[in-house]
Amino acid sequence: MKKIFILFICLVFAVAAVFSPRVLASQEKRLCVAFGDSIASGYGIDNVNQTYPAMIAKKFGLYCENNAVSGDKSADMLNVISNTPSVKDAALITISIGGNDLIANKDIVLAKSVSEKMSAMGLPPQSLQKLIKEINIAGVFNGANINFDTIDADIAGIFSSLKNNLADALRLLRSVNEQAVIIVQTLYNPYLGNSEYEIFGFDVGTLIDSYIQRINSTFYELQNELDGTFLIADVASGMNGNSKYFYTSWDFHPTAQGHAYMADIIGNIYGENAQAIATTEVFVTTAQTTLTQAVTTQTETTAKTSTAKTTEIAKTQASSIQNTSVKATADTNQNVLPTLSDSTASTNVPTAEPQIPTEPVPPSAYGIKTPIFICIAIVVLISICAGIIIKKK
């Protein structure tokens, strides 16, 4: 009888060793998953823990998985999301996107803006268009391929593609994770109000501001249409033209101070809407770097918020669209706006309807460490030894 009992205990521990990571992982959604462009990926930041996704994760005791990629447009982000099974286990999902959709088409945007400015000065439109088409500044502007007959439709296409891709991404995320707080941040305009930044004799911040505002308006429109599927963090109103948040020499990427500001704004929204926050260790993964840190934090518990309340907050946000200027995130591996290229870049639309893979997230993604298995193995071995001793007696 004792032998059977010992064998039963061993069997229990063996099963626990195999399945306990999955049980623990399924009970708590403790991931902060970031998607988007170089703003979210932390371009220019030396320490990955100074990026806003990592700071938010540390504050709320979440694991941070950063899947943002420098230079990504909305279609690229959609592809990344469709290949990220861990989103089903996320408590928080952050999105920074839209700047590259605009920058990839910077030639037609600048041509349209400059032609409107000069036309307002009384110059003949046809003469202006001819002049603009002859301008070719390497790495800055190429007017040769500008088609003024289709320019309005081409510009409208930028925003419609962004809206469609983001809508598909949000629906995909929500289809596999109904509980996660999803936050999209607004785009800021670092050049606004700074005469240092000029092109063709015009202030860049003013030239591009209406287009950046249009991107943010697209976010709010989509929030209304998707009926509270996601929340919007207005980081732009506090960052527009604020030099302390950006590097110098045309670099639109935020400094560590800029990331800290975004972490504060986005983190506050998450804290107000999170259903449950668990204290745990924090680690950050990026496409280039995997950094694991054991961080001891005190338990932080936020008030549980019902889905109805989250939806109500989202609708309230959507109804109060800010008229302030908002950000232009121009993502690239270059540090300066004039070196951005490929103004006619395609949107890289997925060839098939994206679906998130169903493979389970490995236990390591939840910080379930080897010592757990070691402890279980030791207990099993002790049980076996005890059984042998009992048998001999």
Side-chain angles (χ1 to χ4, degrees):
M1 183 66 182
K2 290 182 178 179
K3 182 177 180 181
I4 295 175
F5 177 76
I6 294 298
L7 289 176
F8 175 76
I9 293 297
C10 292
L11 179 61
V12 169
F13 280 113
V15 171
V18 175
F19 293 103
S20 60
R22 294 184 182 181
V23 172
L24 290 172
S26 63
Q27 287 179 343
E28 294 181 355
K29 294 187 176 183
R30 301 180 296 172
L31 287 176
C32 167
V33 183
F35 292 106
D37 45 37
S38 62
I39 304 301
S41 70
Y43 181 86
I45 299 296
D46 294 330
N47 187 343
V48 70
N49 290 301
Q50 291 182 321
T51 61
Y52 73 81
M55 285 189 282
I56 294 172
K58 181 177 181 179
K59 178 179 180 180
F60 292 101
L62 304 174
Y63 298 104
C64 179
E65 180 181 301
N66 197 330
N67 296 306
V69 181
S70 294
D72 266 11
K73 299 185 289 294
S74 56
D76 302 313
M77 184 187 71
L78 177 57
N79 285 330
V80 172
I81 290 174
S82 67
N83 288 284
T84 307
S86 57
V87 295
K88 69 180 183 298
D89 298 303
L92 169 63
I93 299 172
T94 67
I95 293 176
S96 168
I97 204 68
N100 289 319
D101 292 69
L102 190 62
I103 288 300
N105 298 278
K106 70 180 187 305
D107 284 353
I108 61 174
V109 170
L110 289 174
K112 178 68 175 178
S113 297
V114 171
S115 63
E116 288 178 344
K117 291 286 185 182
M118 297 182 75
S119 293
M121 297 168 60
L123 298 176
Q126 291 184 345
S127 298
L128 282 174
Q129 293 174 9
K130 182 178 180 181
L131 176 62
I132 290 172
K133 289 177 69 67
E134 293 176 354
I135 298 174
N136 188 352
I137 305 174
V140 179
F141 179 82
N142 184 2
N145 297 321
I146 301 296
N147 186 343
F148 281 96
D149 292 331
T150 63
I151 193 168
D152 290 333
D154 294 337
I155 290 176
I158 299 172
F159 301 102
S160 62
S161 294
L162 169 62
K163 185 176 182 178
N164 291 336
N165 290 329
L166 182 56
D168 288 343
L170 291 164
R171 292 190 184 100
L172 184 57
L173 290 170
R174 194 53 83 194
S175 70
V176 297
N177 191 329
E178 296 181 354
Q179 301 301 319
V181 177
I182 303 176
I183 301 176
V184 177
Q185 66 188 62
T186 54
L187 306 183
Y188 54 73
N189 185 348
Y191 313 117
L192 195 65
N194 193 334
S195 59
E196 175 185 348
Y197 303 108
E198 291 186 354
I199 189 168
F200 305 136
F202 296 102
D203 172 58
V204 171
T206 302
L207 280 178
I208 65 176
D209 195 57
S210 62
Y211 297 99
I212 299 172
Q213 290 192 47
R214 188 169 173 181
I215 284 179
N216 286 300
S217 293
T218 299
F219 293 160
Y220 285 102
E221 290 170 6
L222 189 57
Q223 187 186 51
N224 264 332
E225 292 175 12
L226 296 184
D227 194 26
T229 293
F230 67 100
L231 301 172
I232 295 176
D234 180 20
V235 302
S237 60
M239 297 182 74
N240 290 331
N242 196 331
S243 60
K244 70 179 181 181
Y245 293 138
F246 306 100
Y247 296 104
T248 57
S249 301
W250 288 89
D251 197 330
F252 45 80
H253 295 99
T255 59
Q257 190 173 0
H259 276 271
Y261 175 80
M262 289 188 289
D264 190 41
I265 298 299
I266 299 171
N268 286 341
I269 293 177
Y270 174 64
E272 293 170 358
N273 293 276
Q275 291 188 347
I277 304 298
T279 299
T280 185
E281 295 174 342
V282 179
F283 72 89
V284 179
T285 60
T286 65
Q288 299 84 15
T289 306
T290 299
L291 177 64
T292 305
Q293 286 190 323
V295 180
T296 303
T297 58
Q298 292 183 341
T299 303
E300 296 183 49
T301 306
T302 59
K304 293 187 177 182
T305 307
S306 65
T307 303
K309 181 178 179 181
T310 301
T311 302
E312 181 180 352
I313 294 172
K315 288 181 177 179
T316 301
Q317 285 188 327
S319 65
S320 58
I321 299 176
Q322 302 295 323
N323 292 322
T324 56
S325 304
V326 284
K327 91 169 184 191
T329 48
D331 296 294
T332 180
N333 288 329
Q334 302 295 330
N335 283 339
V336 295
L337 181 65
T339 58
L340 296 173
S341 60
D342 193 12
S343 62
T344 57
S346 64
T347 57
N348 188 26
V349 178
T351 56
E353 183 177 353
Q355 293 184 344
I356 294 176
T358 57
E359 289 82 359
V361 180
S364 60
Y366 298 90
I368 298 175
K369 306 296 182 180
T370 303
I372 292 178
F373 296 99
I374 293 176
C375 292
I376 295 175
I378 290 174
V379 173
V380 171
L381 288 175
I382 291 174
S383 299
I384 293 174
C385 292
I388 293 173
I389 293 172
I390 292 172
K391 183 178 181 182
K392 287 183 179 181
K393 288 184 178 179

